[in-house]
Amino acid sequence: MIDFRSDTVTQPTEQMRRAMANAPVGDDVYGDDPTVEFLQTSAAEKLGSEAALFCTSGTQANLLALMSHCGRGDEYICGLKAHNFKYEQGGAAVLGSIQPQPVVNQSDGTLALADVEAAIKPDDIHFARTRMVSVENTIGGQPIAMDYWPQISQLCHTHQLKLHMDGARLYNAAVKLNVDIRDITRHVDTFTLCLSKGLAAPVGSLLLGSKEFIKTATRIRKMLGGGWRQAGILAAGAQIALDEMPKRLHEDHELAEYLALRLEEVEQLEVDRERLQTNILYAHCRLGKARELEAFLKQRDILIFGAQPIRFVTHLDVNRNSVDQLVAAIKEFYR
Ligand SMILES: *Cc1c(COP(=O)(O)O)cnc(C)c1O
């Protein structure tokens, strides 16, 4: 199968599988797993934070951040397109009694400062208490521009709000912008990073922030059933994702560029060049028929999500040859 649906489909590398088989482990609920401990310590250092927590997923890490910063009846400001608003089943509301206050995402993925400021509630008996702002980076594959961070951070500081960054694909942003990842993370209070997307670990995301914050998040994770035992088996794969995989992400970005060039040969598809910055490419089907295209490709062992626009994601387990096969099959579909 050639799979362009997401970078979550990446298989663990041979090196990861070997490390996982041989990992020293212990009961992580007691803080006894040396492989988890090492991952958390080295991640905090590498990513520029005081402490880190290894979590099952990005969804869990985001939920822990929300529930650590906000209590019952509080609210957070986020983008209308934010994963932690749109794609997490309203978990913050369901499990944390926390209200989302979404604002429009600008075309560059940011939340306009004026919109954020207007959404902050005054201290008034009618309103929920605004506690935090969440910004996603990358969002739809677009990195947030570096000059945005001091501005949003200043605004949050002025209003005593926590600033959280959903950095599921944060390394893609750092690679694209050619900056040290710590030059991004130093502007936010807390952030997440997915190890199981382009970084190819089988399972796991990191939540990062102050020691105090991570202590709170660890308590909540246990309450949510996320206390895990010999999790070092997973942390061993995640460690390689963190140490080795960021340096190859530029290959995914280059492959997405190649995919764009090839897809532009198909006149029935319109590639969204503005949003193509990293490893995610959107293409609008001029004739509709995205679902039919999905079914046609599936018969040829090629997987896409036939939404409109179609999203193609490049990753470790696809290459130029996969792109050529994809484009040939799409041309066959439209012939
Ligand atoms: C994938 C993703 C998540 C959630 O990660 P899971 O591990 O799939 O739960 C959160 N935020 C963003 C921006 C994502 O892309």
Side-chain angles (χ1 to χ4, degrees):
M1 281 290 180
I2 297 175
D3 201 337
F4 285 100
R5 290 173 303 172
S6 179
D7 46 10
T8 55
V9 304
T10 42
Q11 298 275 314
T13 62
E14 276 309 310
Q15 190 193 3
M16 286 178 191
R17 289 176 189 271
R18 268 198 308 277
M20 292 168 75
N22 296 314
V25 294
D27 190 331
D28 182 52
V29 171
Y30 300 132
D32 284 350
D33 191 302
T35 308
V36 171
E37 289 296 313
F38 184 74
L39 174 68
Q40 292 177 163
T41 309
S42 62
E45 157 95 41
K46 193 181 278 251
L47 302 172
S49 190
E50 225 175 77
L53 182 65
F54 185 44
C55 301
T56 55
S57 65
T59 301
Q60 186 185 62
N62 272 332
L63 179 61
L64 296 181
L66 281 154
M67 290 179 70
S68 300
H69 289 314
C70 308
R72 187 174 164 82
D74 291 345
E75 75 168 14
Y76 67 110
I77 296 171
C78 60
L80 262 173
K81 293 183 179 168
H83 199 282
N84 58 24
F85 173 62
K86 199 172 170 187
Y87 299 102
E88 295 177 9
Q89 287 193 30
V94 175
L95 299 162
S97 300
I98 304 159
Q99 160 172 286
Q101 169 60 69
V103 301
V104 169
N105 288 97
Q106 302 300 301
S107 64
D108 65 359
T110 61
L111 313 178
L113 299 178
D115 290 351
V116 173
E117 192 142 35
I120 299 169
K121 311 288 188 292
D123 184 4
D124 178 303
I125 202 167
H126 293 87
F127 299 132
R129 287 175 298 254
T130 313
R131 293 287 191 214
M132 82 174 240
V133 174
S134 178
V135 177
E136 192 168 313
N137 191 22
T138 62
I139 178 159
Q142 286 178 283
I144 298 294
M146 292 300 283
D147 64 359
Y148 182 71
W149 294 111
Q151 300 175 46
I152 187 72
S153 156
Q154 178 63 48
L155 179 64
C156 289
H157 188 76
T158 303
H159 294 273
Q160 293 175 330
L161 305 178
K162 296 292 182 191
L163 178 57
H164 175 73
M165 174 169 62
D166 179 351
R169 295 189 179 85
L170 184 58
Y171 263 113
N172 294 86
V175 165
K176 171 69 186 185
L177 300 172
N178 197 21
V179 296
D180 186 325
I181 202 159
R182 286 170 291 201
D183 286 338
I184 307 176
T185 62
R186 67 190 171 88
H187 296 286
V188 303
D189 293 299
T190 61
F191 60 102
T192 59
L193 174 75
C194 284
L195 299 164
S196 65
K197 293 189 170 170
L199 302 181
V203 174
S205 290
L206 290 162
L207 175 63
L208 299 102
S210 71
K211 285 198 173 116
E212 205 48 43
F213 164 80
I214 291 297
K215 205 169 143 191
T216 306
T218 307
R219 271 192 71 84
I220 299 171
R221 187 186 63 169
K222 182 79 173 78
M223 179 176 71
L224 296 172
W228 43 6
R229 304 297 178 176
Q230 285 73 37
I233 300 284
L234 296 172
Q239 187 75 50
I240 291 165
L242 183 68
D243 292 342
E244 303 298 329
M245 304 310 272
K247 56 179 103 127
R248 62 151 304 284
L249 280 182
H250 67 96
E251 294 175 29
D252 296 349
H253 302 174
E254 285 152 21
L255 189 66
E257 274 296 323
Y258 176 68
L259 175 61
L261 272 177
R262 293 297 325 273
L263 286 176
E264 279 165 353
E265 295 168 15
V266 182
E267 65 187 41
Q268 292 87 351
L269 292 182
E270 187 178 347
V271 174
D272 186 339
R273 276 285 180 177
E274 192 194 331
R275 279 211 277 176
L276 174 57
Q277 302 285 332
T278 56
N279 69 330
I280 300 179
L281 181 153
Y282 293 93
H284 179 79
C285 298
R286 294 189 216 269
L287 308 175
K289 299 220 172 139
R291 288 274 162 233
E292 290 85 343
L293 178 60
E294 175 186 323
F296 181 88
L297 293 176
K298 194 167 179 192
Q299 287 168 359
R300 283 151 188 79
D301 293 339
I302 301 171
L303 301 178
I304 64 162
F305 281 129
Q308 180 74 294
I310 301 176
R311 187 185 81 154
F312 299 92
V313 185
T314 55
H315 53 78
L316 179 65
D317 296 339
V318 288
N319 53 32
R320 280 190 169 229
N321 191 26
S322 329
V323 168
D324 292 340
Q325 286 184 55
L326 168 73
V327 174
I330 293 176
K331 285 180 176 173
E332 201 186 319
F333 174 75
Y334 282 119
R335 195 160 53 218

